[in-house]
Amino acid sequence: MNPNPHYPLLFTPLELGFTRLKNRVLMGSMHTGLEEAENGFERLAAYFAERARGGVGMIITGGIPPNAEGGYGAKLSTSAETAQHRRVTDAVHAADPDVKICMQILHMGAIAPNPDCVAPSAVKSRIAPFKPRELDAAGIEKQIADFAACAAMAKLAGYDGVEIIGSAGYLISTFLVERTNQRTDEWGGSFDKRMRFAVEVVRRVRAAVGADFILIFRIPAMDMLEGGMARDEIVQLAQAVEAAGVNIISTHFCWHEATVPTVATLVPRAAFTGVTGRLRAALHVPVITSNRINMPSVAEAVLARGDADLVSMARPMLADPELVRKAEQGREDEINTCIACNQACLDHTFGGNKQVSCLVNPRACNETLLNYLPTTQPKKLAVIGAGPSGLAFATVAAKRGHRVTLFDAADAIGGQFNLARRIPGKEEFNETLRYYTRTIALLGIELRLNTRVDAALLKSMAFDEVVVATGIAPRRPDIEGIDHPKVIGYIDAILGRAPVGKRVAIMGAGGIGFDVAELVSHAGPSAALDRATFAREWGIDFENHPRGGVTGVQPQAAKSDRTVYLLQRKSEAVGRNLGRTTGWAHRMTLARRGVQMQAGVEYLRIDDAGLHTRVNGEPRLFEVDSVIVCAGQLPLRVLHEELLAQGMQAHLIGGAFEAAELDAKRAIDQACRLAAAI
Ligand code: FAD
Ligand code: NAP
Ligand code: SF4
């Protein structure tokens, strides 16, 4: 067979002896929330089948606990549960018989949200709701037997294999390190004894499923916390589970309680694959790598460096189910790229068990509910505003067969994404604009930039319907001195249209206030684009790989020579409402740069001396050269009101519809739903 001309390594099959994977891309495990939802397995089946049709070689499901104490939600231990899982495996194999689907067995151990949770020792995790019960010898035997029984049930349910997660602070990994395994029996003490549980689980699972069944072990390849595993221990464990019968080893980075970001957009692409590469050199079985591999070119480069045999892309499969097919056909510029924002996926998973979706693709996990079917009544539509909501609406509507003209007053598409992409650490937002630029061209949407639209223009063009996506206007608080020359709007600050002084007060600490603080306090290369800077800023030692992978030295964040104050009126902690899985990293970065965050501020006036306030009742002057206003936004609805006054049919979406608590997730979701229905 000829190699794929675009990505020859990515599309080389992988022989496993009794079976083969058709390419080197797998969809990594993600809990979606559908596992516990009504009709959840029917929806899961549609979700996975769409990814199978999209060309991925292997799918790993979200984690399924092997028993009640190991987690929550959908289990697999009865025949009724087997029948549910069968819907998923049948759907995937019907979509493409060459695609393999493996079920992840996830025993959450000490971090299970379950008062009956168990662990090698009764050590409570910083992030867990309950203190675990220490397992006795019989309890350990029961856990191992439950792993084996669950794997056997997975085989009955039609899966091609299982992945056992041995990392991240879940049960198996807590046996591996002394900080959570304080036992003195045959399951604790020396590393040989601490790894015995992992090896025994693998051995017993292999015995339960027979030889012709894929068995993957997810190994903690770098724990990212002090007291984690040492490098030689990781190699020893990998070789031991290899000998115990795994077919593939998958490398995982970081315990959930670690304070090193490993998947956020501020993490460089493929930052961790070198760690996999080192481990691979010590093994015979194929190895999977992961984390921030979001485009086929990145994946191909990882394989070319010899870092791995297989590349796991999880969130990128939410963003674009056809990613692999597009890569295979050399259409990578059509990929809707995962921007690693976590806003609709991990923030939902860790924010109270909400269902997962994707900011750039609201169809993700809604495949049976939100469909873009060809229209039977093509209309001539005008879309005013080419920000995220206008772009999403225009492209979905055009895909359905409507004739769309997209207007924007600016000279480029993107709306506020053109500001977001300029923030260090948010470079991935460029990909969304590239995706829309290409999609607009492919769908033949008429794009009219540099065109400020009014009702008269629209009337003259005789559209059937108009969609107003004109976005927002920044709020300008009514404070004495707000017109002082030292006051700058966030748009001017980000675009560099107004000089920012050495002493800066940022008024408003929402998402934009934090981004502006990042911009003005930053110095040197963006850590998201430079692995060495990233490692330094987060205290990681990729090269020497000390125990846990972290240096233990206080991380160093390069910073500008500005004094920066980030202020809010509310008395709650600054940054409390940022993303669940990313907010802590933003807060930590700014704190390390010396940005001073102040809650409970009452703004009194701005003058030559600076910003006069009362802080918790006490007068305080912030002696600053610049005050950057990031005080929220107001909807821009003038055009919509004009259209309605003239009797035209007009819809409102995005920030123009509602500016309060607006983000791109809500803007794009609303736009896609309207476009599916119009
Ligand atoms: P906008 O993006 O505001 O687009 C409106 C468009 O309409 C503009 O291009 C404007 O030129 C055009 N327009 C207005 N009036 C007219 C007219 N009369 N004629 C023609 N064109 C007109 N959100 C997130 O979810 N995650 C983030 O990480 C994130 N980061 C951000 C960082 C920054 C620095 C900023 C500023 C915003 C960020 N946001 C983020 C918010 C997100 O960008 C907005 O929620 C989103 O852009 C709103 O989309 P929209 O289409 O409603 O409006
Ligand atoms: P925001 O999150 O609503 O924050 C606005 C800030 O302004 C708040 O700190 C608010 O807090 C303050 N404020 C409100 N009214 C004020 C007034 N009259 N005077 C002074 N201060 C006032 O809005 P945003 O920062 O403009 O962001 C817009 C949207 O973009 C947000 O919904 C956000 O989700 C999204 N975004 C997201 C990210 C991300 O990383 N996920 C990044 C950027 C933007 P106080 O009232 O307490 O002062
Ligand atoms: Fe990626 Fe953001 Fe979508 Fe999650 S929500 S899959 S991080 S683009």
Side-chain angles (χ1 to χ4, degrees), residues 403-579:
R403 267 174 57 212
V404 180
T405 306
L406 175 60
F407 297 90
D408 203 292
D411 61 1
I413 65 163
Q416 294 174 66
F417 266 30
N418 270 315
L419 302 174
R421 71 187 182 83
R422 290 180 157 84
I423 307 297
K426 285 197 161 176
E427 294 80 2
E428 292 288 0
F429 283 61
N430 284 306
E431 294 287 2
T432 304
L433 300 184
R434 183 265 310 144
Y435 163 74
Y436 279 120
T437 302
R438 180 69 181 134
T439 309
I440 287 168
L442 282 172
L443 292 170
I445 292 171
E446 187 182 346
L447 178 63
R448 295 215 187 169
L449 296 173
N450 301 303
T451 309
R452 182 161 291 281
V453 174
D454 56 22
L457 174 71
L458 291 174
K459 197 147 199 187
S460 71
M461 295 178 75
F463 290 101
D464 295 321
E465 291 180 43
V466 178
V467 175
V468 178
T470 44
I472 53 85
R475 178 184 285 119
R476 208 164 162 78
D478 186 15
I479 299 169
E480 186 185 333
I482 194 74
D483 294 323
H484 192 280
K486 66 173 60 175
V487 178
I488 307 169
Y490 68 80
I491 298 177
D492 287 340
I494 294 172
L495 293 178
R497 293 197 302 219
V500 176
K502 287 272 187 261
R503 298 169 305 164
V504 185
I506 298 170
M507 191 187 281
I512 293 177
F514 262 80
D515 276 356
V516 167
E518 165 68 37
L519 185 72
V520 300
S521 65
H522 173 93
S526 167
L529 302 179
D530 186 75
R531 191 168 172 261
T533 303
F534 170 72
R536 210 168 35 250
E537 290 203 349
W538 292 98
I540 308 166
D541 185 345
F542 284 118
E543 274 61 48
N544 303 307
H545 196 153
R547 184 173 282 282
V550 288
T551 57
V553 176
Q554 180 63 26
Q556 295 298 311
K559 56 183 183 187
S560 70
D561 56 359
R562 291 194 174 101
T563 302
V564 181
Y565 303 95
L566 181 55
L567 312 176
Q568 74 177 24
R569 297 177 305 176
K570 287 186 285 289
S571 55
E572 67 185 34
V574 175
R576 203 179 101 169
N577 297 320
L578 295 178

Side-chain angles (χ1 to χ4, degrees), residues 372-397:
Y372 308 144
L373 304 174
T375 179
T376 50
Q377 259 193 311
K379 293 177 186 163
K380 186 178 169 194
L381 302 175
V383 182
I384 321 305
S389 66
L391 290 165
F393 177 87
T395 49
V396 172

Side-chain angles (χ1 to χ4, degrees), residues 242-417:
E242 185 178 69
V246 302
N247 305 102
I248 303 174
I249 288 180
S250 178
T251 48
H252 201 190
F253 308 95
C254 157
W255 281 37
H256 288 306
E257 64 187 82
T259 50
V260 174
T262 51
V263 293
T265 194
L266 54 85
V267 176
R269 290 176 169 186
F272 298 94
T273 65
V275 179
T276 311
R278 259 198 321 255
L279 183 61
R280 180 174 180 249
L283 299 172
H284 299 100
V285 292
V287 176
I288 301 171
T289 196
S290 63
N291 288 49
R292 290 286 286 118
I293 301 171
N294 62 346
M295 286 297 276
S297 54
V298 182
E300 182 79 7
V302 165
L303 297 179
R305 282 200 298 273
D307 283 353
D309 302 280
L310 291 154
V311 170
S312 170
M313 295 167 112
R315 295 171 300 165
M317 299 291 170
L318 291 177
D320 194 335
E322 285 190 284
L323 183 151
V324 180
R325 179 84 58 237
K326 289 174 180 174
E328 192 173 19
Q329 296 172 352
R331 298 190 288 127
E332 54 283 297
D333 56 353
E334 295 174 35
I335 291 172
N336 195 2
T337 304
C338 166
I339 57 174
C341 64
N342 289 357
Q343 286 176 241
C345 53
L346 289 169
D347 282 352
H348 285 206
T349 307
F350 291 100
N353 232 344
K354 257 193 286 172
Q355 190 202 300
V356 159
S357 187
C358 172
L359 178 142
V360 300
N361 173 27
R363 273 200 78 240
C365 298
N366 290 311
E367 287 75 11
T368 57
L369 305 175
L370 178 60
N371 278 300
Y372 308 144
L373 304 174
T375 179
T376 50
Q377 259 193 311
K379 293 177 186 163
K380 186 178 169 194
L381 302 175
V383 182
I384 321 305
S389 66
L391 290 165
F393 177 87
T395 49
V396 172
K399 198 175 287 171
R400 293 190 53 224
H402 295 296
R403 267 174 57 212
V404 180
T405 306
L406 175 60
F407 297 90
D408 203 292
D411 61 1
I413 65 163
Q416 294 174 66
F417 266 30

Side-chain angles (χ1 to χ4, degrees), residues 71 79 92 103 114 141 224 226 288 332 394 410 430 452 518 552:
S79 52
V92 166
M103 191 188 83
N114 184 337
E141 167 54 32
M224 300 295 171
E226 285 181 55
I288 301 171
E332 54 283 297
N430 284 306
R452 182 161 291 281
E518 165 68 37

